[in-house]
Amino acid sequence: MKKSRVLLTAATSATAVFVLSSPAFAHVSVQPDGEAAKGGYATIGFKVPNERDDASTTKLEITFPTEHPLASVLPQPVPGWKAKVTKSKLDKPIEVHGNKITEAVTKVTWTAEGKGVEPGFFQRFPVSVGQLPENSDQLVFKALQTYSNKEVVRWIEAPTEGGEEPQYPAPVLALSAAEEGHHGGTGGDAKDAEGSEEKEAKAEKGEKDAGHGHEDGAKDTASSSHDSDTTARVLGIAGIAVGAAGVAFGVLAGRRAGGRGPTISTPPPRAL
C-alpha cells in the first residue's frame, strides 16, 4: 500500500514538473543564418511553434533591446503575414559609419492575414539586423505570442548565468567574435576602410598607367615600324628612279654615238 502511494506521488510530481516546464520545450527562439558577429550585420530568424491543439498563432510581437539599439532592422516578407516596424527615439544617439542615429527599431509586429500558424506547425520570421554591438556577447529579445482564442504567452524571462532555465524564456541571440576587417562604426575601422580604399584606388591607377604605358609603347613601336617601312619604300623608289635614269642616259648616249653615220670614202679621180 505504501509502495503504491510512493509510486503515485512520484508519478504526480513528474507530471507536474512536465506541465510546468513544458512551455520551455517549444518556446519562441532566435537563430542566425550562419553567424552573428559582433560589430557586423546578420540575418536572424525568430522561430515560433504552435503549442496549442485548439488555436492558431495569429500575432507575434518582438521587442528589441534598448540597451543595445539596432539602427537597421529589415524584416523579410512572410507570405500570409503583415509586418509593422516601430521606431523610437534614443536617449543617447549612436554612431554608425560616421553618422549619428537618433532613433532605432524597438519593436516588430507580425499579424496573420489568414489562419496563421496552425496546430502542429511552426513559422519562421527572418529579419536583417545591424550593426550588432561589440561590447556584448548576446542580445535578449522579448516575445509576445498571441493565439486565435485571445490567449497571450509572454516569452520575456531573461536567462541567468548558472541558473535554471525560466519557464517562459526570452529569445537569446548569441554573438560570435568580431570578424577581421569588418566595417564597424568605430573611427579606427573607418580609417582602415578609407586607407584600404585609397590603396585599392592607387593600385588601380597604377594598373591603368601601366596599361597606358604598354599602349604607348606599342604605338611607338608601330610608329617606328611604319616610319622604317616608309623610308625603305622611298629608298626603293629612288633606287628604281636612279636605275631608270641610268638606263635612259645609256640609251641616249648610244643614240648620239650612232648619229654620226658611216664613214664615206671618196674614190680617186679617173685619168683623162
Side-chain angles (χ1 to χ4, degrees), residues 37-272:
K38 298 178 182 179
Y41 290 76
T43 297
I44 61 177
F46 293 94
K47 182 180 178 181
V48 182
N50 192 325
E51 300 178 315
R52 301 294 180 265
D53 296 331
D54 56 351
S56 298
T57 298
T58 56
K59 188 177 181 180
L60 174 67
E61 298 177 63
I62 299 294
T63 300
F64 286 72
T66 55
E67 64 274 15
H68 299 294
L70 301 175
S72 176
V73 176
L74 301 174
Q76 180 178 328
V78 178
W81 293 80
K82 182 179 180 181
K84 179 183 177 182
V85 178
T86 302
K87 293 184 178 182
S88 301
K89 288 188 176 182
L90 300 175
D91 296 333
K92 182 180 179 181
I94 59 176
E95 186 172 341
V96 178
H97 299 303
N99 299 322
K100 287 187 177 181
I101 306 300
T102 58
E103 64 178 10
V105 174
T106 53
K107 182 186 295 185
V108 177
T109 304
W110 287 270
T111 305
E113 296 179 327
K115 295 181 179 179
V117 186
E118 297 183 88
F121 292 88
F122 76 91
Q123 180 64 56
R124 191 170 183 271
F125 299 88
V127 183
S128 174
V129 296
Q131 178 180 345
L132 298 175
E134 297 181 347
N135 57 349
S136 179
D137 295 328
Q138 64 182 21
L139 288 178
V140 179
F141 302 85
K142 294 182 179 181
L144 299 183
Q145 182 179 9
T146 302
Y147 288 89
S148 55
N149 59 3
K150 306 303 180 182
E151 178 188 2
V152 178
V153 181
R154 303 169 62 86
W155 306 100
I156 60 173
E157 299 177 13
T160 57
E161 186 177 357
E164 296 182 357
E165 184 178 12
Q167 184 177 355
Y168 296 96
V172 178
L173 176 67
L175 302 181
S176 59
E179 298 178 358
E180 294 183 1
H182 75 81
H183 300 301
T186 61
D189 293 334
K191 290 180 180 179
D192 292 341
E194 291 177 0
S196 177
E197 292 176 357
E198 184 177 356
K199 289 179 181 179
E200 292 177 359
K202 287 182 178 180
E204 185 178 355
K205 184 178 183 300
E207 292 177 359
K208 289 183 178 179
D209 292 342
H212 287 313
H214 289 307
E215 292 177 1
D216 293 341
K219 289 180 180 179
D220 292 341
T221 302
S223 178
S224 177
S225 177
H226 178 71
D227 292 342
S228 299
D229 292 342
T230 302
T231 303
R233 290 177 183 177
V234 171
L235 291 176
I237 295 173
I240 294 173
V242 171
V247 173
F249 180 79
V251 172
L252 181 60
R255 287 182 179 178
R256 287 181 180 177
R260 295 177 182 175
T263 305
I264 302 175
S265 60
T266 304
R270 294 179 180 178
L272 295 178

